Amino acid sequence: MHRTETSKYRAELPLDGLWSFRIQSAEDDPCDWSGGFPCDRMVAVPGAFNEQFTDYETSNFMGIAWYSRQIVIPVWDDRAWLIHFAAVNYSARVYLDGRLIGEHVTGYTPFFCRIPEDYCPGEHLLVVRVDCGLSPETVPQGGFDRAAIPGVTSPFVPSVNFDFFPYSGILRPVRLCSLPSVHVEDVRIERAEQLDDGTAILCVRANASLSGLMIRYVVEPGGESVSAISGEPVTISIREPKIWDVGNPFLYRVRAELMHDGRTVDACSRSFGIRTIRVAGDRLLLNGRPVYLRGFGRHEDMPVAGRGFCEAFHVRDIELLKWCGGNSFRTAHYPHAEEFLDLADRTGVLVIGESPAVSMIPSAAGEDTLGLHIRAVREMIARDAHHPSIVAWCLANEPHSHQPESVPYFESVFAAARREDPTRPMMLVMCRFPNEKCHHLCDLIGLNAYPGWYGGGAPLHETTAYFNRLLDEVRAITGKPVFMTEFGADAMAGLHSLPASLWTEDYQANLLSALLEVLAGKDYVVGEHIWAFADFHTAQNHFRAHGNRKGIFTRDRQPKLAAHVLRQRWGDGIRKWKE
Ligand code: ADA
């Protein structure tokens, strides 16, 4: 089941607002609060719970948290009722009046819980048990015995194996959805591309809750239509198509109308764009022309709401990207909200969609880890494949892909991802060259490196010489186009020095200018994403100054000096290639 655009047949009631909340402490253990619990405080949904309160325990909590609220199912016959959770981090069990109605594992993809038909209209108690704990088994992993695993050394509090705060809870909206009892379950855009003869094809497939029914697909604008049995793929040709492109996005919609007993019983739409994306030689080709990725790795991160959903940040972030002449984001380090991708579609911004598999250690994986990783990738692709803004999938960020165990592990992840989406380039973001073992699986080489920052402060010409060598080495090893996915330096907003030194805005701006100059000279480099778009919160650690300060913008989205440098350098985000 996927969320599709609403229609006159469907309704959604928001369940956001204040929910009862309680974290399960050691004294409560073991407990079953699925039928309700003694509530001691209220929490805002959507939003991470961590910063809504002032106590240390809740702020750093990675155990089991309980949420509840009353819901009202209206009198409305012949309907199916579902509860849509856009993201609950990390895993959720959902109970209605004490009965389990759904579960989900991994924190950034949606799930639906169907309300069983024997529930009467009226008030019911909805309880969500959220397990925020990470382990070697989970995706991402966590909870390692640090002494036992080589390479896992940083003493983060709370204990995580990655560099962003493990914000937890009900992060994105919750909705009560009403559908006709016989309904369309999802509308999957499998391909929407222009052909050599100038026409375009749309390959689409919708499933229905009852098999064997006819679905009529109608494309708008244009009105082309085709009918087929639900679940069967259809191809619709579109004459004189309008193309979706950077800075010039054109969106179509396809409406799937479900026919039953000679009448339409449900209809829902998906928007899509017609565009091609592929890697050819040393170029990433968008609609057949080379595109150079200028932009950032972006976190969903803000004060108080943490990783909570906030559309104002989506608008501001895309505005700022365009202000400094960028054309793209990577959704580091997990799938971002669907609404953010909708906005990218509508504003002509390119996106690299990243799975939640950050810093994975295959040698330490549990029995279920690979399966969970594959499931998270498939759920991400199923949710997002219709977005023309998504031009590549990143299947993991900085995995321990130098380990022999990583090869069979990532072969399985890539095979599953390519089955799910044969149309887009696939990549890993890597940082362990020359020892990387999985680059043969990638169409593009995502490279993270911090010359001039970690161990930095040396004269810039030494840093650029090293960067030059590193890039050429990675290219020589892989023979593939390189996408510089992370580079940068921490800068405390307002801190300046002459000569420039570490932690100042001046150093960050100078370093980035110098590194961008090196990248400009490399013909095999297809993109430059600076780390990071904005400052973001991390778990506590002596090498983080109350969070990661590599943002070009502050956490409240104001420019540092480097943002002005980029604005001059990048100029106009619509330019396609480097020159
Ligand atoms: C890694 C990681 C990022 C980031 C960066 C840093 O490369 O991918 O999450 O935080 O380190 O700032 O050190």
Side-chain angles (χ1 to χ4, degrees):
M1 184 83 198
H2 301 140
R3 188 160 179 247
T4 38
E5 289 177 20
T6 51
S7 69
K8 64 181 180 183
Y9 299 92
R10 298 161 165 240
E12 283 185 345
L13 306 170
L15 295 179
D16 299 339
L18 292 179
W19 290 48
S20 300
F21 177 72
R22 185 164 177 142
I23 61 174
Q24 187 178 314
S25 61
E27 301 88 71
D28 299 318
D29 231 6
C31 71
D32 177 5
W33 289 336
S34 53
F37 52 87
C39 165
D40 52 3
R41 48 193 174 169
M42 308 299 284
V43 72
V45 171
F49 57 71
N50 308 75
E51 285 182 25
Q52 296 187 37
F53 306 101
T54 52
D55 61 293
Y56 181 93
E57 193 190 3
T58 311
S59 176
N60 294 287
F61 190 67
M62 292 194 73
I64 291 166
W66 293 81
Y67 286 70
S68 78
R69 63 164 286 158
Q70 293 293 131
I71 63 166
V72 178
I73 304 179
V75 180
W76 200 346
D77 289 341
D78 200 23
R79 306 291 291 176
W81 291 94
L82 295 98
I83 303 176
H84 170 248
F85 289 86
V88 180
N89 193 25
Y90 170 77
S91 69
R93 279 191 211 152
V94 181
Y95 302 90
L96 198 59
D97 302 337
R99 175 164 153 196
L100 184 69
I101 59 164
E103 335 187 35
H104 186 258
V105 185
T106 75
Y108 301 96
T109 36
F111 60 99
F112 285 86
C113 305
R114 184 162 188 150
I115 298 180
E117 273 156 21
D118 54 2
Y119 276 81
C120 301
E123 283 214 359
H124 298 275
L125 181 69
L126 178 65
V127 172
V128 184
R129 175 191 186 271
V130 185
D131 190 342
C132 314
L134 299 178
S135 74
E137 195 90 28
T138 59
V139 178
Q141 294 166 302
F144 288 115
D145 171 0
R146 294 180 180 282
I149 305 209
V152 182
T153 48
S154 38
F156 274 121
V157 176
S159 171
V160 286
N161 189 29
F162 46 80
D163 181 43
F164 52 94
F165 195 86
Y167 285 118
S168 303
I170 304 181
L171 300 182
R172 296 184 190 148
V174 187
R175 303 167 174 109
L176 181 60
C177 310
S178 165
L179 282 74
S181 50
V182 177
H183 53 261
V184 177
E185 297 228 298
D186 56 15
V187 181
R188 180 75 188 261
I189 307 292
E190 297 186 337
R191 222 176 130 200
E193 290 180 351
Q194 189 167 28
L195 304 176
D196 291 342
D197 65 5
T199 64
I201 50 160
L202 166 69
C203 301
V204 58
R205 176 207 307 252
N207 289 303
S209 59
L210 193 66
S211 60
L213 301 184
M214 286 299 280
I215 294 187
R216 179 167 176 260
Y217 299 88
V218 184
V219 175
E220 277 164 356
E224 291 91 341
S225 72
V226 170
S227 296
I229 301 280
S230 69
E232 277 184 7
V234 301
T235 300
I236 303 176
S237 73
I238 300 171
R239 283 186 307 279
E240 297 179 25
K242 292 206 170 80
I243 303 302
W244 188 98
D245 212 331
V246 194
N248 185 23
F250 186 87
L251 289 177
Y252 287 89
R253 287 153 70 92
V254 58
R255 192 173 64 252
E257 300 171 349
L258 182 65
M259 312 301 291
H260 187 30
D261 291 339
R263 61 192 179 94
T264 306
V265 291
D266 186 22
C268 65
S269 318
R270 270 265 193 239
S271 60
F272 67 96
I274 295 170
R275 60 113 188 82
T276 54
I277 184 76
R278 65 193 173 91
V279 173
D282 276 342
R283 298 287 180 269
L284 183 61
L285 299 182
L286 177 68
N287 298 320
R289 291 192 308 279
V291 64
Y292 189 75
L293 301 168
R294 296 180 182 84
F296 306 92
R298 170 187 184 263
H299 266 297
E300 290 184 325
D301 172 274
M302 74 188 97
V304 186
R307 195 144 293 121
F309 177 81
C310 177
E311 290 220 75
F313 270 74
H314 300 168
V315 173
R316 176 81 179 171
D317 289 3
I318 286 194
E319 177 78 8
L320 290 177
L321 175 78
K322 294 199 163 188
W323 176 85
C324 59
N327 60 14
S328 49
F329 279 122
R330 175 169 60 115
T331 69
H333 292 309
Y334 37 80
H336 289 192
E338 290 179 65
E339 291 79 354
F340 180 70
L341 302 177
D342 288 338
L343 190 60
D345 286 349
R346 291 166 75 158
T347 51
V349 163
L350 307 177
V351 178
I352 287 77
E354 184 160 284
S355 91
V358 51
S359 308
M360 298 300 290
I361 308 178
S363 64
E367 250 177 49
D368 289 342
T369 313
L370 175 60
L372 277 174
H373 189 157
I374 289 175
R375 194 198 309 169
V377 165
R378 294 186 63 206
E379 286 185 5
M380 168 179 79
I381 296 176
R383 190 196 72 165
D384 295 340
H386 65 289
H387 291 287
S389 54
I390 301 242
V391 288
W393 301 114
C394 173
L395 304 184
N397 178 72
E398 296 194 354
H400 286 222
S401 37
H402 57 301
Q403 298 179 331
E405 295 86 342
S406 66
V407 178
Y409 182 99
F410 279 107
E411 279 172 356
S412 303
V413 175
F414 271 76
R418 289 192 194 278
R419 267 196 305 277
E420 200 70 21
D421 183 357
T423 69
R424 287 177 173 90
M426 305 272 168
M427 57 186 280
L428 292 173
V429 164
M430 294 167 278
C431 65
R432 296 168 210 281
F433 285 102
N435 301 320
E436 287 291 349
K437 290 195 170 24
C438 296
H439 50 83
H440 63 287
L441 298 168
C442 303
D443 301 309
L444 284 176
I445 303 301
L447 177 64
N448 288 358
Y450 286 90
W453 177 247
Y454 294 113
L460 279 184
H461 68 267
E462 289 180 21
T463 301
T464 50
Y466 163 78
F467 192 40
N468 235 307
R469 287 197 302 277
L470 173 73
L471 288 165
D472 288 347
E473 185 187 18
V474 169
R475 162 62 174 195
I477 292 170
T478 65
K480 295 188 178 172
V482 176
F483 170 17
M484 197 65 211
T485 35
E486 286 185 26
F487 58 111
D490 285 70
M492 302 299 286
L495 192 64
H496 291 274
S497 74
L498 254 184
S501 60
L502 293 174
W503 294 99
T504 64
E505 289 195 38
D506 314 80
Y507 185 83
Q508 183 190 43
N510 292 353
L511 177 71
L512 287 174
S513 291
L515 298 180
L516 290 170
E517 206 50 49
V518 175
L519 291 169
K522 303 289 178 196
D523 200 42
Y524 54 78
V525 171
V526 296
E528 52 199 38
H529 272 191
I530 291 162
W531 189 256
F533 173 68
D535 291 348
F536 58 92
H537 200 40
T538 64
Q540 293 180 66
N541 191 308
H542 64 270
F543 65 77
R544 291 288 176 251
H546 193 63
N548 189 311
R549 303 295 184 137
K550 293 192 186 70
I552 295 306
F553 296 94
T554 58
R555 204 176 181 211
D556 60 354
R557 275 47 179 182
Q558 297 302 332
K560 297 183 192 170
L561 184 58
H564 295 277
V565 169
L566 285 182
R567 183 169 157 82
Q568 278 191 344
R569 191 177 175 95
W570 284 347
D572 145 24
I574 299 173
R575 272 179 315 133
K576 293 284 183 323
W577 189 240
K578 295 186 182 183
E579 53 276 352

